[in-house]
């Protein structure tokens, strides 16, 4: 498995989640559907606020996994030398 492309994808997904869901939260807050006549939040607002929070938390977790994988693959690539002797010793 190629850790670096997977890690980049996970990190990008985390960033994308933050961008999309923060924009959605801003629009949710401004929506007339989110607030009752007395100024209290509607069930529409509550459900979508919960979805937003969960999505941002999951996006953060996925992004952190991607970041850690990227850092680990970078440190591994610094440890690996690409000399033919090492490839033969490793059985490649």
């Amino acid at each position: 498995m190629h850790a670096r492309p997977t890690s980049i994808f996970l990190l990008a997904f985390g960033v994308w989640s933050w961008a999309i869901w923060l924009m959605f939260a801003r629009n949710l807050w401004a929506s007339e559907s989110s607030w009752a006549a007395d100024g209290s939040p509607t069930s529409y607002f509550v459900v979508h606020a919960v979805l937003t929070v969960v999505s941002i938390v999951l996006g953060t977790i996925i992004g952190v996994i991607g970041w850690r994988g990227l850092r680990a693959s970078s440190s591994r690539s610094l440890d690996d030398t690409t000399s033919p002797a090492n490839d033969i010793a490793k059985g490649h």
Side-chain angles (χ1 to χ4, degrees):
M1 186 171 149
H2 301 288
R4 191 165 178 85
T6 303
S7 297
I8 291 170
F9 173 78
L10 293 175
L11 181 58
F13 181 86
V15 170
W16 174 258
S17 292
W18 270 83
I20 293 301
W21 286 103
L22 288 179
M23 185 184 322
F24 181 81
R26 188 185 70 218
N27 293 334
L28 178 65
W29 190 267
S31 174
E32 292 179 9
S33 303
S34 297
W35 308 103
D38 64 357
S40 62
T42 62
S43 57
Y44 172 84
F45 176 85
V46 172
V47 167
H48 287 87
V50 169
L51 285 172
T52 301
V53 169
V54 169
S55 296
I56 288 173
V57 168
L58 292 175
T60 301
I61 292 168
I62 290 169
V64 167
I65 292 169
W67 175 251
R68 288 182 178 176
L70 197 58
R71 285 183 42 205
S73 70
S74 294
S75 67
R76 261 196 315 271
S77 67
L78 293 176
D79 293 340
D80 285 344
T81 56
T82 57
S83 72
N86 284 341
D87 288 343
I88 293 169
K90 292 178 182 177
H92 294 137

